[in-house]
Amino acid sequence: MEQSSKFQHQPQPDTPSSSTMSPSPHPEQTPPWGALWVLALGLAMIVLDSSIVNVSIPTIIDDIDIDLTDAQWVTSLYNIVLAALLLPFGKLGDTKGRKLVFQIGTVIFVASSLLAATSHDAGMLLTARALQGIGGAMIMPNTLSTVSATFRGKYRAAAFGVWGAVMSSAAALGPLLGGVLTETLGWRWIFLVNLPLGIIIFVATIPLVPKTGGHTSNITSSTTSSTIRFQSIDVDIPGVVLSALTSALLVFGLIEGETYGWWKQTSTQLKMGGLAWNRGWLSPVPICLVAGMLLLVVFITVELARGKAGRPVMLDMTLFRIKTFSWGNLSAAAIAAGEFALPLYLINARGLDTLQAGAMLAVMGLGSIIAGGRAHMLAAKFTPVGVVQLGLVIEIIAVAVIAVLMPVGFAVWWQLLPLTAYGCGLGLASAQLTSVVLSEVPIPQSGEGSATQSTIRQLGTAMGSAISGAALTMAINGTLPARLESLGLPAKVGDGLAKAVSSSAGGVIGSFRSGDGPAAQFGDEAPKIADAMTSGFIEGNRWTLLVAGCMLLIGLLASVAVRRAASTHSTH
């Protein structure tokens, strides 16, 4: 904050003396459990929207006649806007009040959900998705920061257990709920369901969620005859712009690499409004990634310089001197990158329908809810970091078992057991890691600390998706042509079919099983080709699980540093 002979900032703590906001409860006082469930419901609404839309895309394309590029933006735009604005709105919650920002975000999210549900063209739907991202970015970090500010002492582990269980289970349940709503009530209900949820959340927030944050600075202006005091909040405009652009460019590049090409542009053309990218020799993806990395360096440099000058910053870089915060965020990014998706494998390789695949994946959510809700009991005995490490070990073992059970020689239902175990591990690791990451962050900075972790999780998820997608493509293109050539197909045909499998993420396999469409030209050989495709696609999915296992192992190694840092802090 600025300091001079005439102006002096006097930061106030996040307590009643600094504002009209309610204080954080004393560690021995009973915290507001009702508030926790309201905040958890708000979080669930946001996380569900990240995954619930994917299964409805084919129906949306047919119903409002949008092209494939616009359909891809329906899912991508929400995540890009969400990642770009998490940090600014987390900081805003610290300065203006977390409850207020949460409530405004809820209103924006509900209104934009109604807009999305009534959309009749691509422009209207994409506008609604961007607005949903804005509302989601206002809600997500302020749920976590409010929990961090209001639940202290012995109640903290239990609160974060609930928060983590809700987050991971909502992500797992999204595809199932999306499939049920799309096949019964119609795709518009994946957005309309947010209306009653949002109204309940907004109304319940008023009496149940305490006010936290909203600290300001008293600026003293000295004159020759008197001293005038007034309230002011300085805004780090460069930090807001740089953090938003950095997150948006990095997330876009990571999640769209497979769509537009990691270097050379694919047949899919990037279109935004009336603009189009048409450079066949170069994809927009590497440009966005390089620009994002350069802006990240500029952002860090600017924030460090502003911090040294005593000026307000979007992200206080000194937070990363807290070892539990810095190492914990690395572990969180690795865990997010280690999360894997199985719907396409279950549908295209194992022949399940959308509802069956969703039900299979829902057991992960069930395991996460059970484990996350009980994690605080284990934390009391083994410490929160010990619970994180236990969860990671369970996840790694479950991933290995799932990979073993992937071939069609094993009944697909056997995978329910390791999927449940994976969900349990995820519930244990996610819930307590969040608590550890924020454990030493000052309460007045809970918003920016929470937003930083949420942003890093988003980047980790995008990075994991990018690496897994690349591994899937490389494995299919590296192993499937030989399988197809062994059936007597020419090498050129085998290469073309392998690319069709990788580009469609296995979607083409169904047509070869039925012998419809282009598969008809292969006659009686089509079922054999489908079997070879299935085998190659499964091999590719096993490689994605290997990637997931490696990411989780990195998270486990980082958690060792977190444990050391937490142990060192507790001895001081």
Side-chain angles (χ1 to χ4, degrees), residues 125-141:
L125 182 56
L126 292 176
T127 299
R129 290 295 280 168
L131 291 172
Q132 279 190 307
I134 294 172
M138 298 181 80
I139 294 172
M140 181 178 283

Side-chain angles (χ1 to χ4, degrees), residues 370-396:
I370 295 173
R374 301 293 179 182
H376 66 284
M377 298 180 180
L378 292 173
K381 185 175 182 180
F382 300 110
T383 74
V385 185
V387 174
V388 171
Q389 292 177 321
L390 174 62
L392 285 170
V393 170
I394 293 173
E395 284 187 72
I396 292 170

Side-chain angles (χ1 to χ4, degrees), residues 382-425:
F382 300 110
T383 74
V385 185
V387 174
V388 171
Q389 292 177 321
L390 174 62
L392 285 170
V393 170
I394 293 173
E395 284 187 72
I396 292 170
I397 294 173
V399 166
V401 175
I402 292 170
V404 170
L405 296 177
M406 267 193 164
V408 293
F410 295 94
V412 69
W413 308 111
W414 279 106
Q415 294 188 359
L416 287 171
L417 293 174
L419 283 173
T420 304
Y422 178 85
C424 290

Side-chain angles (χ1 to χ4, degrees), residues 66-96:
I66 63 176
D67 59 32
L68 183 59
T69 301
D70 287 333
Q72 290 167 335
W73 275 107
V74 170
T75 57
S76 301
L77 189 58
Y78 174 80
N79 290 312
I80 291 171
V81 174
L82 178 68
L85 298 178
L86 282 170
L87 189 54
F89 284 133
K91 184 73 172 182
L92 185 66
D94 284 343
T95 56
K96 291 292 189 180

Side-chain angles (χ1 to χ4, degrees), residues 354-567:
T354 302
L355 292 181
Q356 289 173 326
M360 284 279 293
L361 296 176
V363 302
M364 287 198 300
L366 180 62
S368 180
I369 291 173
I370 295 173
R374 301 293 179 182
H376 66 284
M377 298 180 180
L378 292 173
K381 185 175 182 180
F382 300 110
T383 74
V385 185
V387 174
V388 171
Q389 292 177 321
L390 174 62
L392 285 170
V393 170
I394 293 173
E395 284 187 72
I396 292 170
I397 294 173
V399 166
V401 175
I402 292 170
V404 170
L405 296 177
M406 267 193 164
V408 293
F410 295 94
V412 69
W413 308 111
W414 279 106
Q415 294 188 359
L416 287 171
L417 293 174
L419 283 173
T420 304
Y422 178 85
C424 290
L426 183 61
L428 293 174
S430 296
Q432 295 309 305
L433 180 59
T434 302
S435 175
V436 172
V437 169
L438 298 178
S439 61
E440 297 176 46
V441 174
I443 292 177
Q445 294 178 285
S446 294
E448 63 182 298
S450 303
T452 300
Q453 195 207 35
S454 296
T455 303
I456 289 174
R457 281 181 182 270
Q458 288 287 111
L459 290 171
T461 299
M463 183 177 296
S465 176
I467 297 174
S468 296
L472 177 66
T473 299
M474 292 175 62
I476 291 174
N477 292 334
T479 61
L480 184 53
R483 287 186 170 92
L484 295 172
E485 288 176 34
S486 68
L487 299 177
L489 296 177
K492 188 174 182 179
V493 174
D495 290 341
L497 291 176
K499 290 180 179 178
V501 172
S502 60
S503 62
S504 67
V508 72
I509 297 175
S511 64
F512 275 82
R513 284 204 189 99
S514 61
D516 297 332
Q521 63 180 301
F522 293 96
D524 295 338
E525 294 297 311
K528 295 180 181 178
I529 294 174
D531 290 340
M533 287 178 168
T534 299
S535 178
F537 186 59
I538 288 174
E539 185 65 26
N541 275 273
R542 294 175 84 171
W543 275 94
T544 65
L545 288 179
L546 176 62
V547 169
C550 290
M551 293 297 105
L552 293 172
L553 182 59
I554 292 173
L556 181 60
L557 293 176
S559 72
V560 174
V562 176
R563 186 164 195 160
R564 290 175 180 171
S567 177

Side-chain angles (χ1 to χ4, degrees), residues 328-354:
N329 273 308
L330 174 60
S331 186
I335 292 173
E339 294 176 3
F340 57 89
L342 289 178
L344 294 175
Y345 155 76
L346 295 172
I347 294 170
N348 295 330
R350 303 309 294 262
L352 302 185
D353 60 32
T354 302

